Amino acid sequence: GIQVEQSPPDLILQEGANSTLRCNFSDSVNNLQWFHQNPWGQLINLFYIPSGTKQNGRLSATTVATERYSLLYISSSQTTDSGVYFCAANTGGFKTIFGAGTRLFVKA
Amino acid sequence: NAGVTQTPKFRILKIGQSMTLQCTQDMNHNYMYWYRQDPGMGLKLIYYSVGAGITDKGEVPNGYNVSRSTTEDFPLRLELAAPSQTSVYFCASRPGQGIGSNQPQHFGDGTRLSIL
């Protein structure tokens, strides 16, 4: 089955800094999502982005399907951005595979 | 619109006890999923369902059972609780049009389960 790898595994930022999180996948995907898991454990949908680029406020995401990777950009980071960021991929069947996540801590 | 609702939010079980984690969605989604998330790890798929009466195993199904008698409900059953099942359990759903792969998943808030 598809393998999903995220990097870096951990990231510490000073408030106001920018960052890029990466998600590599081993097969072509029909579905690629980015989630933020907040410190209370809730999973928040950020982007549904099987290809192309999307932006939502300080966050944006780009998926290059032909090269099998997706990037999540966080600009002007805030302490509320802390948590774990997951990407999840689906190759066209019913199963969605999650990466192990990037743990982000933004210092005030 | 409630979305995906999981109950209970927290539960402590003794080894060998049984319980059912409830999941309900009000979005008329065909596809529903159960995941577990161990501390510091990503989510692993336990079981999934593509419609009422149809269920199938995911990556880590051992020790669990599911049923899907209605579109709305997808309960997860632990028959003989073991310490290895201590985890956070998430239920998710998505519409499932066509082959169902090109729609985002919606998640519940999770159930934190401890087996002592």
Side-chain angles (χ1 to χ4, degrees), chain A residues 30-31 33 35 37 39-43 45 48 84 86 90-101 103, chain B residues 31 33 35 37 40-43 45 48 50 57-59 90 94 99-107 109 112:
Chain A
N30 282 18
N31 182 334
Q33 283 184 265
F35 296 90
Q37 188 168 39
W40 295 270
Q42 294 173 314
L43 283 162
N45 279 301
Y48 165 69
V84 185
F86 290 104
N90 179 293
T91 59
F94 305 115
K95 299 179 183 180
T96 296
I97 303 300
F98 278 72
R103 288 153 190 78
Chain B
Y31 293 178
Y33 306 81
Y35 295 89
Q37 184 181 27
M41 305 293 286
L43 278 71
L45 183 63
Y48 65 97
V50 301
K57 297 177 180 179
E59 301 171 86
F90 288 97
R94 68 180 177 195
I99 62 173
S101 65
N102 56 346
Q103 300 286 342
Q105 292 191 23
H106 300 262
F107 279 82
D109 286 343
R112 294 183 180 276

Side-chain angles (χ1 to χ4, degrees), chain B residues 20-32:
Chain B
T20 300
L21 282 65
Q22 301 292 343
C23 176
T24 299
Q25 52 91 10
D26 61 358
M27 298 173 282
N28 201 33
H29 286 173
N30 288 324
Y31 293 178
M32 296 187 74

Side-chain angles (χ1 to χ4, degrees), chain B residues 2 27 34 40 77 79-80 100 105 108 110:
Chain B
M27 298 173 282
W34 274 107
R77 179 87 177 159
E79 292 293 351
L80 290 171
Q105 292 191 23

